[in-house]
Amino acid sequence: TAEVMSHVTAHFGKALEECREESGLPVEVMDEFKHFWREDFEVVHRELGCAIICMSNKFELLQDDTRIHHVKMHDYIKSFPNGQVLSEKMVQLIHNCEKQYDDIADDCDRVVKVAACFKKDAKKEGIAPEVAMIEAVIEKY
Ligand code: B8M
């Protein structure tokens, strides 16, 4: 659900600070990760892909091939309130997007494409949070 996704985003987003430098993502492009879900935020910058890889690595959510580690991703999402209702759907959506962009060799370029695909599909499925929902839980993390 969007409620659960707001918790996941609030927690995951905290790692952006740690990844700002090495990913080279300018503050002008994205100052806080919650804006990922804004209607008018375009998920297109290669550096955002680099940042998502770096952030995911902080929580060991990726395999060596930079695709999601299904078991670890499940466990991560399940660690949030009501996480079990979202984990399967979320892994499914991300994996489906990974398959569509499997031919892009550059990891940052591929991951930003996967992330944009995931955002679009999550909205379609009604599990994309409003930024205000993220703001309401961000202080918990
Ligand atoms: C990775 C869990 C983060 C959840 C926070 C919300 C949105 C972030 C989107 C990133 C999509 C994950 C892309 C990783 C794909 C690796 O092939």
Side-chain angles (χ1 to χ4, degrees), residues 54-92:
C54 170
M55 294 161 76
S56 301
N57 284 149
K58 303 285 176 199
F59 307 115
E60 299 183 79
L61 299 176
L62 302 180
Q63 304 173 333
D64 294 338
D65 64 1
T66 328
R67 272 67 170 189
I68 55 162
H69 190 294
H70 291 214
V71 174
K72 288 179 176 170
M73 183 66 84
H74 267 297
D75 289 346
Y76 177 65
I77 301 163
K78 279 189 292 191
S79 75
F80 297 96
N82 272 312
Q84 76 288 347
V85 304
L86 179 69
S87 63
E88 196 156 334
K89 181 97 248 169
M90 186 155 164
V91 169
Q92 215 174 69

Short mmCIF file of all heavy atoms in Angstrom, two decimals, residues 54-92:
data_model
loop_
_atom_site.label_atom_id
_atom_site.label_comp_id
_atom_site.label_asym_id
_atom_site.label_seq_id
_atom_site.Cartn_x
_atom_site.Cartn_y
_atom_site.Cartn_z
N CYS A 54 24.05 3.16 -4.62
CA CYS A 54 24.79 3.41 -3.38
C CYS A 54 23.91 3.23 -2.15
O CYS A 54 24.28 2.58 -1.18
CB CYS A 54 25.39 4.82 -3.44
SG CYS A 54 26.11 5.39 -1.89
N MET A 55 22.68 3.79 -2.21
CA MET A 55 21.75 3.70 -1.08
C MET A 55 21.33 2.25 -0.84
O MET A 55 21.29 1.79 0.30
CB MET A 55 20.51 4.56 -1.37
CG MET A 55 20.83 6.07 -1.42
SD MET A 55 19.56 7.02 -2.27
CE MET A 55 18.27 7.09 -1.02
N SER A 56 21.05 1.53 -1.91
CA SER A 56 20.65 0.13 -1.79
C SER A 56 21.76 -0.70 -1.17
O SER A 56 21.50 -1.62 -0.38
CB SER A 56 20.30 -0.45 -3.17
OG SER A 56 19.25 0.28 -3.77
N ASN A 57 23.00 -0.36 -1.51
CA ASN A 57 24.14 -1.10 -0.96
C ASN A 57 24.27 -0.90 0.55
O ASN A 57 24.73 -1.80 1.25
CB ASN A 57 25.43 -0.69 -1.67
CG ASN A 57 25.57 -1.29 -3.05
OD1 ASN A 57 26.17 -0.70 -3.95
ND2 ASN A 57 25.02 -2.48 -3.23
N LYS A 58 23.83 0.26 1.04
CA LYS A 58 23.88 0.51 2.49
C LYS A 58 23.02 -0.50 3.24
O LYS A 58 23.27 -0.82 4.40
CB LYS A 58 23.38 1.92 2.84
CG LYS A 58 24.12 3.05 2.16
CD LYS A 58 25.49 3.31 2.75
CE LYS A 58 26.21 4.40 1.96
NZ LYS A 58 27.67 4.36 2.19
N PHE A 59 21.96 -0.98 2.56
CA PHE A 59 21.05 -1.94 3.19
C PHE A 59 21.20 -3.34 2.59
O PHE A 59 20.36 -4.22 2.84
CB PHE A 59 19.60 -1.44 3.05
CG PHE A 59 19.39 -0.04 3.56
CD1 PHE A 59 19.02 0.98 2.70
CD2 PHE A 59 19.58 0.26 4.91
CE1 PHE A 59 18.82 2.29 3.17
CE2 PHE A 59 19.39 1.56 5.38
CZ PHE A 59 19.01 2.57 4.52
N GLU A 60 22.24 -3.52 1.77
CA GLU A 60 22.52 -4.82 1.14
C GLU A 60 21.32 -5.37 0.38
O GLU A 60 20.96 -6.54 0.52
CB GLU A 60 22.98 -5.82 2.20
CG GLU A 60 24.26 -5.37 2.89
CD GLU A 60 24.76 -6.40 3.90
OE1 GLU A 60 25.36 -7.39 3.46
OE2 GLU A 60 24.51 -6.21 5.11
N LEU A 61 20.70 -4.51 -0.43
CA LEU A 61 19.50 -4.93 -1.16
C LEU A 61 19.79 -5.43 -2.57
O LEU A 61 18.88 -5.91 -3.24
CB LEU A 61 18.51 -3.76 -1.24
CG LEU A 61 17.99 -3.22 0.10
CD1 LEU A 61 17.09 -2.01 -0.12
CD2 LEU A 61 17.25 -4.30 0.87
N LEU A 62 21.04 -5.32 -2.99
CA LEU A 62 21.38 -5.71 -4.36
C LEU A 62 22.30 -6.92 -4.40
O LEU A 62 23.05 -7.19 -3.46
CB LEU A 62 22.05 -4.53 -5.10
CG LEU A 62 21.25 -3.23 -5.20
CD1 LEU A 62 22.07 -2.18 -5.96
CD2 LEU A 62 19.91 -3.45 -5.89
N GLN A 63 22.25 -7.61 -5.53
CA GLN A 63 23.19 -8.71 -5.79
C GLN A 63 24.43 -8.13 -6.46
O GLN A 63 24.46 -6.95 -6.81
CB GLN A 63 22.54 -9.73 -6.74
CG GLN A 63 21.22 -10.27 -6.24
CD GLN A 63 20.53 -11.15 -7.28
OE1 GLN A 63 20.73 -10.96 -8.48
NE2 GLN A 63 19.73 -12.08 -6.83
N ASP A 64 25.40 -8.99 -6.72
CA ASP A 64 26.63 -8.53 -7.36
C ASP A 64 26.38 -7.97 -8.76
O ASP A 64 27.14 -7.12 -9.23
CB ASP A 64 27.64 -9.68 -7.46
CG ASP A 64 28.12 -10.12 -6.08
OD1 ASP A 64 28.02 -9.32 -5.12
OD2 ASP A 64 28.60 -11.27 -5.96
N ASP A 65 25.32 -8.40 -9.41
CA ASP A 65 25.02 -7.91 -10.76
C ASP A 65 24.18 -6.62 -10.73
O ASP A 65 23.66 -6.16 -11.75
CB ASP A 65 24.31 -8.98 -11.59
CG ASP A 65 22.94 -9.36 -11.04
OD1 ASP A 65 22.51 -8.79 -10.00
OD2 ASP A 65 22.29 -10.24 -11.63
N THR A 66 24.04 -6.01 -9.55
CA THR A 66 23.30 -4.75 -9.35
C THR A 66 21.80 -4.90 -9.60
O THR A 66 21.11 -3.92 -9.80
CB THR A 66 23.87 -3.60 -10.22
OG1 THR A 66 25.26 -3.79 -10.39
CG2 THR A 66 23.67 -2.24 -9.57
N ARG A 67 21.31 -6.14 -9.60
CA ARG A 67 19.86 -6.35 -9.61
C ARG A 67 19.43 -6.61 -8.17
O ARG A 67 20.27 -6.98 -7.33
CB ARG A 67 19.49 -7.56 -10.49
CG ARG A 67 19.26 -7.22 -11.96
CD ARG A 67 20.52 -6.79 -12.64
NE ARG A 67 20.35 -6.69 -14.10
CZ ARG A 67 21.36 -6.49 -14.94
NH1 ARG A 67 22.60 -6.32 -14.49
NH2 ARG A 67 21.14 -6.42 -16.25
N ILE A 68 18.12 -6.45 -7.89
CA ILE A 68 17.70 -6.61 -6.49
C ILE A 68 17.88 -8.05 -6.01
O ILE A 68 17.70 -9.02 -6.75
CB ILE A 68 16.23 -6.18 -6.24
CG1 ILE A 68 15.25 -6.89 -7.17
CG2 ILE A 68 16.08 -4.68 -6.29
CD1 ILE A 68 13.81 -6.83 -6.65
N HIS A 69 18.25 -8.15 -4.76
CA HIS A 69 18.32 -9.44 -4.07
C HIS A 69 16.92 -9.68 -3.51
O HIS A 69 16.49 -9.02 -2.57
CB HIS A 69 19.36 -9.36 -2.95
CG HIS A 69 19.66 -10.69 -2.34
ND1 HIS A 69 18.72 -11.41 -1.63
CD2 HIS A 69 20.79 -11.44 -2.34
CE1 HIS A 69 19.27 -12.54 -1.22
NE2 HIS A 69 20.51 -12.59 -1.64
N HIS A 70 16.20 -10.63 -4.11
CA HIS A 70 14.78 -10.79 -3.78
C HIS A 70 14.52 -11.07 -2.30
O HIS A 70 13.62 -10.47 -1.71
CB HIS A 70 14.15 -11.89 -4.66
CG HIS A 70 14.03 -11.50 -6.10
ND1 HIS A 70 13.00 -11.91 -6.92
CD2 HIS A 70 14.82 -10.71 -6.88
CE1 HIS A 70 13.15 -11.40 -8.13
NE2 HIS A 70 14.26 -10.68 -8.13
N VAL A 71 15.29 -11.96 -1.71
CA VAL A 71 15.07 -12.32 -0.31
C VAL A 71 15.37 -11.13 0.62
O VAL A 71 14.58 -10.81 1.51
CB VAL A 71 15.93 -13.54 0.10
CG1 VAL A 71 15.82 -13.80 1.60
CG2 VAL A 71 15.52 -14.77 -0.71
N LYS A 72 16.49 -10.46 0.36
CA LYS A 72 16.86 -9.33 1.23
C LYS A 72 15.90 -8.17 1.08
O LYS A 72 15.58 -7.46 2.03
CB LYS A 72 18.30 -8.90 0.96
CG LYS A 72 19.30 -9.91 1.48
CD LYS A 72 20.73 -9.52 1.20
CE LYS A 72 21.69 -10.53 1.84
NZ LYS A 72 23.07 -10.32 1.39
N MET A 73 15.40 -7.96 -0.15
CA MET A 73 14.42 -6.90 -0.39
C MET A 73 13.12 -7.23 0.35
O MET A 73 12.53 -6.36 1.00
CB MET A 73 14.18 -6.74 -1.89
CG MET A 73 13.24 -5.62 -2.26
SD MET A 73 13.86 -3.96 -1.88
CE MET A 73 14.86 -3.64 -3.33
N HIS A 74 12.67 -8.48 0.26
CA HIS A 74 11.48 -8.91 1.01
C HIS A 74 11.64 -8.62 2.49
O HIS A 74 10.76 -8.06 3.13
CB HIS A 74 11.26 -10.43 0.84
CG HIS A 74 10.35 -10.79 -0.29
ND1 HIS A 74 9.03 -10.43 -0.34
CD2 HIS A 74 10.59 -11.49 -1.42
CE1 HIS A 74 8.49 -10.89 -1.46
NE2 HIS A 74 9.41 -11.54 -2.15
N ASP A 75 12.76 -9.05 3.04
CA ASP A 75 13.00 -8.88 4.48
C ASP A 75 13.03 -7.41 4.86
O ASP A 75 12.51 -7.02 5.91
CB ASP A 75 14.33 -9.55 4.88
CG ASP A 75 14.22 -11.07 4.83
OD1 ASP A 75 13.08 -11.59 4.74
OD2 ASP A 75 15.28 -11.74 4.88
N TYR A 76 13.64 -6.59 4.01
CA TYR A 76 13.72 -5.15 4.28
C TYR A 76 12.32 -4.55 4.33
O TYR A 76 11.98 -3.85 5.29
CB TYR A 76 14.57 -4.48 3.21
CG TYR A 76 14.69 -2.97 3.34
CD1 TYR A 76 15.33 -2.38 4.43
CD2 TYR A 76 14.16 -2.13 2.35
CE1 TYR A 76 15.44 -1.01 4.55
CE2 TYR A 76 14.27 -0.75 2.46
CZ TYR A 76 14.90 -0.19 3.55
OH TYR A 76 14.99 1.17 3.66
N ILE A 77 11.51 -4.81 3.34
CA ILE A 77 10.17 -4.22 3.28
C ILE A 77 9.29 -4.76 4.42
O ILE A 77 8.51 -4.02 5.04
CB ILE A 77 9.51 -4.47 1.92
CG1 ILE A 77 10.39 -3.86 0.81
CG2 ILE A 77 8.11 -3.86 1.86
CD1 ILE A 77 10.07 -4.37 -0.57
N LYS A 78 9.46 -6.04 4.73
CA LYS A 78 8.68 -6.64 5.81
C LYS A 78 9.02 -6.06 7.18
O LYS A 78 8.26 -6.23 8.14
CB LYS A 78 8.86 -8.17 5.82
CG LYS A 78 7.98 -8.86 4.79
CD LYS A 78 8.00 -10.37 4.95
CE LYS A 78 9.36 -10.94 4.58
NZ LYS A 78 9.32 -12.42 4.47
N SER A 79 10.15 -5.38 7.29
CA SER A 79 10.55 -4.82 8.58
C SER A 79 9.76 -3.55 8.93
O SER A 79 9.87 -3.04 10.04
CB SER A 79 12.06 -4.53 8.58
OG SER A 79 12.35 -3.38 7.80
N PHE A 80 8.96 -3.04 7.98
CA PHE A 80 8.15 -1.85 8.25
C PHE A 80 6.73 -2.26 8.64
O PHE A 80 6.31 -3.37 8.33
CB PHE A 80 8.14 -0.95 7.01
CG PHE A 80 9.51 -0.43 6.66
CD1 PHE A 80 10.29 -1.07 5.70
CD2 PHE A 80 10.04 0.66 7.35
CE1 PHE A 80 11.58 -0.63 5.42
CE2 PHE A 80 11.32 1.10 7.07
CZ PHE A 80 12.10 0.46 6.11
N PRO A 81 6.01 -1.33 9.35
CA PRO A 81 4.64 -1.66 9.78
C PRO A 81 3.78 -2.11 8.59
O PRO A 81 3.71 -1.40 7.59
CB PRO A 81 4.11 -0.34 10.36
CG PRO A 81 5.32 0.50 10.64
CD PRO A 81 6.41 0.01 9.74
N ASN A 82 3.20 -3.29 8.69
CA ASN A 82 2.38 -3.86 7.62
C ASN A 82 3.16 -4.18 6.35
O ASN A 82 2.58 -4.37 5.28
CB ASN A 82 1.23 -2.93 7.24
CG ASN A 82 0.01 -3.17 8.10
OD1 ASN A 82 -0.41 -4.32 8.27
ND2 ASN A 82 -0.55 -2.12 8.66
N GLY A 83 4.48 -4.26 6.48
CA GLY A 83 5.34 -4.49 5.32
C GLY A 83 4.99 -5.72 4.50
O GLY A 83 5.18 -5.74 3.27
N GLN A 84 4.48 -6.74 5.17
CA GLN A 84 4.19 -7.99 4.46
C GLN A 84 3.13 -7.81 3.37
O GLN A 84 3.08 -8.60 2.43
CB GLN A 84 3.81 -9.12 5.44
CG GLN A 84 2.41 -9.06 6.03
CD GLN A 84 2.24 -7.94 7.06
OE1 GLN A 84 3.22 -7.34 7.52
NE2 GLN A 84 0.99 -7.63 7.42
N VAL A 85 2.30 -6.76 3.48
CA VAL A 85 1.26 -6.56 2.47
C VAL A 85 1.83 -5.91 1.21
O VAL A 85 1.20 -5.90 0.17
CB VAL A 85 0.06 -5.72 2.97
CG1 VAL A 85 -0.57 -6.35 4.21
CG2 VAL A 85 0.44 -4.27 3.21
N LEU A 86 3.04 -5.37 1.29
CA LEU A 86 3.64 -4.69 0.14
C LEU A 86 4.80 -5.47 -0.48
O LEU A 86 5.04 -5.35 -1.69
CB LEU A 86 4.16 -3.30 0.56
CG LEU A 86 4.83 -2.46 -0.54
CD1 LEU A 86 3.81 -2.02 -1.59
CD2 LEU A 86 5.55 -1.23 0.03
N SER A 87 5.49 -6.27 0.31
CA SER A 87 6.78 -6.80 -0.13
C SER A 87 6.71 -7.59 -1.43
O SER A 87 7.52 -7.37 -2.33
CB SER A 87 7.43 -7.63 0.98
OG SER A 87 6.65 -8.73 1.30
N GLU A 88 5.73 -8.47 -1.52
CA GLU A 88 5.67 -9.30 -2.73
C GLU A 88 5.42 -8.45 -3.97
O GLU A 88 6.09 -8.60 -4.99
CB GLU A 88 4.59 -10.36 -2.58
CG GLU A 88 4.73 -11.47 -3.59
CD GLU A 88 4.08 -12.77 -3.13
OE1 GLU A 88 3.95 -12.98 -1.90
OE2 GLU A 88 3.69 -13.55 -3.99
N LYS A 89 4.44 -7.56 -3.87
CA LYS A 89 4.09 -6.68 -4.98
C LYS A 89 5.29 -5.83 -5.42
O LYS A 89 5.58 -5.68 -6.60
CB LYS A 89 2.94 -5.76 -4.56
CG LYS A 89 2.45 -4.81 -5.60
CD LYS A 89 1.22 -5.34 -6.33
CE LYS A 89 1.47 -5.69 -7.77
NZ LYS A 89 0.40 -6.41 -8.41
N MET A 90 5.98 -5.29 -4.45
CA MET A 90 7.09 -4.40 -4.75
C MET A 90 8.24 -5.13 -5.45
O MET A 90 8.79 -4.64 -6.43
CB MET A 90 7.57 -3.75 -3.46
CG MET A 90 8.62 -2.70 -3.69
SD MET A 90 8.65 -1.50 -2.38
CE MET A 90 10.24 -0.75 -2.69
N VAL A 91 8.59 -6.30 -4.94
CA VAL A 91 9.65 -7.09 -5.57
C VAL A 91 9.24 -7.47 -6.99
O VAL A 91 10.04 -7.39 -7.93
CB VAL A 91 9.96 -8.36 -4.73
CG1 VAL A 91 10.86 -9.33 -5.49
CG2 VAL A 91 10.62 -7.97 -3.41
N GLN A 92 7.97 -7.83 -7.13
CA GLN A 92 7.42 -8.19 -8.45
C GLN A 92 7.55 -7.02 -9.44
O GLN A 92 8.01 -7.20 -10.57
CB GLN A 92 5.94 -8.46 -8.23
CG GLN A 92 5.28 -9.53 -9.05
CD GLN A 92 3.85 -9.72 -8.55
OE1 GLN A 92 3.00 -8.84 -8.73
NE2 GLN A 92 3.58 -10.84 -7.89
#
